[in-house]
Amino acid sequence: MTGAPVPIFSWPPHEDRVETIFTRLSGVMPEPRTELRFQDPYTLVVAVALSAQATDVSVNKATERLFAVADTPAKMLALGEAGLIPYIASIGLYRNKARNLIALSRIILEQHGGV
């Protein structure tokens, strides 16, 4: 067999290895940007969760309407899974994503004080 050796990865990764990776990435892209529209860490994680198997354009269209009514974990939980679906139905896998966003919001509220 030829070529470079295959690195062995472990979890959790060693902190020095993570730091090396971030240093290299910041050298190439010092100010990374995303096309996803968000206002804060919560809306970013929601947009990222919705972006799986979807385009940023379709996610931005859905989140523009969604974040107008549910831009915090508490508001998302109040909306509920059934209330969330109409906002994200244009995005693939929307039923699973709705269930996961409700679970995510609950975890953020219950285990992380809403932050």
Side-chain angles (χ1 to χ4, degrees):
M1 194 166 172
T2 61
V6 176
I8 298 174
F9 296 103
S10 63
W11 193 261
H14 193 274
E15 287 185 33
D16 289 341
R17 183 177 180 87
V18 171
E19 188 62 36
T20 299
I21 292 169
F22 275 104
T23 299
R24 288 180 183 175
L25 288 174
S26 67
V28 175
M29 191 180 297
E31 294 185 36
R33 303 206 187 284
T34 178
E35 290 184 26
L36 294 172
R37 294 191 200 120
F38 63 96
Q39 298 127 9
D40 53 41
Y42 176 71
T43 56
L44 174 59
V45 76
V46 168
V48 169
L50 291 172
S51 72
Q53 304 280 324
T55 65
D56 289 350
V57 171
S58 67
V59 171
N60 287 338
K61 285 180 184 177
T63 56
E64 182 176 358
R65 293 183 331 112
L66 174 61
F67 293 157
V69 296
D71 60 350
T72 67
K75 290 178 185 176
M76 192 71 72
L77 275 180
L79 196 58
E81 194 174 322
L84 174 57
I85 286 175
Y87 292 97
I88 65 170
S90 60
I91 300 173
L93 308 171
Y94 66 90
R95 285 186 178 89
N96 285 335
K97 290 178 182 182
R99 184 175 337 123
N100 290 331
L101 288 178
I102 295 301
L104 166 79
S105 298
R106 183 173 287 112
I107 290 168
I108 290 172
L109 280 171
E110 292 175 358
Q111 297 179 20
H112 302 284
V115 180

